[in-house]
């Protein structure tokens, strides 16, 4: 095995930590629980309570995964929901959360209403002393190894969305945190949030707004990388940026993004990316295929569109969406490079009149 292969080999250590030990390590900052890896408390109080109930019943707890940083500190990359729920129960102040009062326990119903402080001593000790298997991914000089490890751990049966995985995995790579924070800052800009107001709240909770930022840059700068699968396309674009294969200057990209969405907001506001009914009224949620075609057109034809009156722009957009060219490119078999180009061309030609 050559030196590169040795560097890329995944080296792991299996350790059994008690939850009491995890709490102490967290207090001493030897284990970092970063909420950006997973939304800290997607679990409901009932789900957290049933985990505590499972521990007291002696049921096995799935393992957690940690990655060792260059300074030896361990970062939790999988199992945050389980770990943070128990730590909240043991010492809610340690993770800056309200005290957890157990609810929804259906086997040990006497636990409902209990807090850690009100448990019997034997039950307190059982929670603190219960072990959980931890797989530690030992430090590696290869960022790609850490990136791939997190992505693979959280792909498949995971509750994380594709964009939440991108948020987390990008932070495994040097410079990745700056890139993703720039994405988040763009997603928070007023001109953008007004145009995507029809995006459902449930998808926003899973970072769909941040995914649309990424999709804008993918369609604007990496269109030919599209192979028919949106997730793979966005992954490939982000990985190209993170590993230096695609140039992405944050300041210049942010200016480009704000310029385009300020114009879309001025001309179309929240009607830019949605369907229209027979009476001409905007209806329904944001449609991603419509988003791609409109943002690409505004990016490419900015100078031709900036002086078009909003009312005229809206009528041209409606005409584009009902055109044969556009409908043909958004129906069955639309997930191809030619169809992507076709729907962008259809919208662009209508918008410029």
């Amino acid at each position: 095995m050559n030196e590169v292969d040795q560097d890329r080999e995944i080296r792991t250590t299996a350790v059994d930590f008690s939850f009491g030990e995890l709490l102490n390590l967290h207090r001493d900052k030897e284990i970092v629980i970063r909420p950006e890896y997973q939304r800290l408390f997607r679990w409901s109080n009932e789900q957290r309570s049933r985990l505590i109930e499972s521990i007291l019943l002696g049921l096995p707890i799935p393992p957690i995964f940690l990655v060792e940083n260059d300074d030896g500190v361990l970062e939790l990359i999988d199992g945050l929901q389980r770990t943070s729920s128990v730590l909240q129960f043991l010492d809610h102040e340690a993770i800056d959360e309200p005290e957890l009062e157990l609810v929804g326990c259906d086997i040990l119903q006497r636990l409902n209403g209990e807090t850690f402080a009100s448990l019997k001593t034997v039950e307190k000790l059982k929670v603190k002393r219960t072990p959980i298997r931890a797989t530690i991914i030992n430090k590696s000089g290869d960022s790609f190894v850490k990136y791939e490890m997190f992505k693979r751990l959280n792909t498949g049966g995971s509750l994380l969305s594709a964009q939440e995985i991108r948020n987390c995995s990008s932070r495994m790579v040097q410079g990745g945190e700056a890139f993703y924070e720039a994405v988040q800052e763009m997603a928070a800009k007023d001109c953008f949030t007004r145009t995507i107001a029809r995006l459902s709240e449930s998808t926003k909770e899973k970072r769909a707004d941040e995914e649309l930022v990424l999709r804008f840059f993918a369609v604007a700068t990496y269109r030919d990388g599209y192979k028919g699968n949106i997730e793979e396309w966005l992954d490939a674009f982000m990985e190209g940026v993170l590993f230096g294969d695609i140039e992405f200057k944050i300041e210049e990209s942010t200016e480009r993004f704000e310029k385009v969405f300020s114009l879309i907001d001025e001309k179309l506001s929240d009607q830019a990316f949605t369907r229209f009914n027979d009476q001409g009224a905007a209806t329904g949620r944001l449609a991603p295929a419509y988003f791609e075609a409109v943002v690409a057109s505004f990016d490419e034809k900015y100078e031709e569109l900036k002086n078009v009156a909003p009312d005229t722009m809206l009528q041209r957009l409606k005409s584009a969406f009902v055109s044969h060219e556009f409908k043909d490119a958004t129906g069955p078999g639309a997930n191809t490079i030619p169809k992507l180009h076709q729907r962008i061309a259809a919208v662009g030609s209508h918008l410029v009149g």
Side-chain angles (χ1 to χ4, degrees):
M1 186 179 293
N2 62 38
E3 186 175 340
V4 174
D5 290 334
Q6 288 176 346
D7 192 42
R8 287 203 161 190
E9 183 185 6
I10 301 295
R11 302 177 183 88
T12 62
T13 303
V15 179
D16 286 331
F17 288 120
S18 71
F19 284 110
E21 287 175 316
L22 286 176
L23 177 61
N24 290 333
L25 290 168
H26 176 63
R27 285 171 176 161
D28 293 339
K29 296 182 171 50
E30 294 180 34
I31 284 182
V32 178
I33 300 175
R34 301 179 64 180
E36 62 265 30
Y37 278 166
Q38 295 176 28
R39 297 265 169 138
L40 186 54
F41 281 121
R42 177 171 294 172
W43 277 13
S44 65
N45 280 349
E46 287 80 4
Q47 287 173 299
R48 297 177 232 168
S49 298
R50 287 180 188 134
L51 175 62
I52 304 301
E53 181 185 40
S54 295
I55 291 171
L56 290 172
L57 285 168
L59 298 177
I61 308 299
I64 60 175
F65 287 81
L66 305 105
V67 64
E68 182 183 20
N69 288 340
D70 291 336
D71 56 7
V73 173
L74 302 176
E75 289 191 42
L76 185 67
I77 62 170
D78 187 66
L80 184 141
Q81 301 291 346
R82 297 186 294 280
T83 305
S84 55
S85 294
V86 179
L87 297 194
Q88 182 193 14
F89 187 62
L90 293 176
D91 182 1
H92 63 97
E93 293 180 350
I95 56 172
D96 195 27
E97 286 291 327
E99 185 175 31
L100 177 58
E101 181 177 306
L102 302 181
V103 292
C105 298
D106 48 9
I107 298 178
L108 300 178
Q109 295 184 17
R110 60 179 177 77
L111 293 176
N112 292 320
E114 299 280 4
T115 63
F116 182 73
S118 66
L119 286 182
K120 300 174 184 177
T121 300
V122 66
E123 292 172 329
K124 290 180 182 178
L125 293 176
K126 183 162 188 177
V127 175
K128 291 179 71 173
R129 292 174 179 173
T130 292
I132 184 168
R133 173 57 56 98
T135 297
I136 299 172
I137 304 159
N138 300 125
K139 59 184 177 184
S140 166
D142 194 329
S143 295
F144 186 75
V145 172
K146 294 180 182 179
Y147 173 86
E148 278 295 319
M149 177 61 72
F150 182 87
K151 192 169 78 170
R152 294 185 189 194
L153 283 172
N154 287 280
T155 301
S158 171
L159 293 177
L160 294 182
S161 70
Q163 192 61 29
E164 285 175 310
I165 293 172
R166 294 185 192 106
N167 167 39
C168 304
S169 56
S170 66
R171 299 170 192 275
M172 298 288 175
V173 181
Q174 186 174 5
E177 189 165 354
F179 165 77
Y180 202 88
E181 286 178 355
V183 170
Q184 291 177 315
E185 288 173 7
M186 285 184 262
K189 289 187 178 294
D190 290 340
C191 60
F192 178 69
T193 58
R194 284 191 290 266
T195 64
I196 65 161
R198 293 177 181 271
L199 196 65
S200 69
E201 287 302 317
S202 61
T203 56
K204 283 182 184 178
E205 289 177 2
K206 295 188 174 184
R207 302 183 184 272
D209 51 347
E210 295 167 14
E211 181 171 284
L212 288 176
V213 174
L214 204 62
R215 192 179 287 221
F216 164 74
F217 287 108
V219 77
T221 66
Y222 189 62
R223 196 174 305 170
D224 289 338
Y226 182 60
K227 299 293 187 292
N229 184 298
I230 295 294
E231 288 187 12
E232 291 178 2
W233 179 41
L234 298 182
D235 284 345
F237 170 72
M238 190 181 80
E239 288 165 12
V241 172
L242 294 179
F243 295 105
D245 297 322
I246 297 175
E247 185 178 49
F248 188 90
K249 296 179 180 178
I250 289 177
E251 186 173 346
E252 292 178 10
S253 297
T254 301
E255 289 176 1
R256 178 179 184 175
F257 177 87
E258 192 162 14
K259 175 182 173 182
V260 169
F261 280 94
S262 292
L263 187 63
I264 296 173
D265 182 33
E266 175 192 339
K267 305 299 184 184
L268 298 167
S269 190
D270 71 338
Q271 300 182 91
F273 315 125
T274 189
R275 297 173 177 84
F276 296 88
N277 62 22
D278 293 340
Q279 289 72 47
T283 181
R285 299 293 188 186
L286 182 150
Y290 290 47
F291 175 89
E292 293 163 1
V294 173
V295 299
S297 298
F298 269 80
D299 181 61
E300 291 175 357
K301 303 179 183 297
Y302 181 89
E303 292 299 323
E304 298 168 82
L305 300 179
K306 67 181 182 181
N307 294 320
V308 178
D311 288 346
T312 302
M313 186 73 77
L314 182 59
Q315 292 307 313
R316 290 178 178 179
L317 182 71
K318 293 178 182 179
S319 175
F321 286 168
V322 298
S323 68
H324 170 75
E325 296 87 354
F326 184 79
K327 285 186 173 180
D328 180 61
T330 55
N335 291 334
T336 64
I337 283 284
K339 294 291 187 181
L340 176 63
H341 284 297
Q342 182 180 329
R343 57 181 176 264
I344 292 171
V347 170
S349 64
H350 279 78
L351 291 185
V352 298

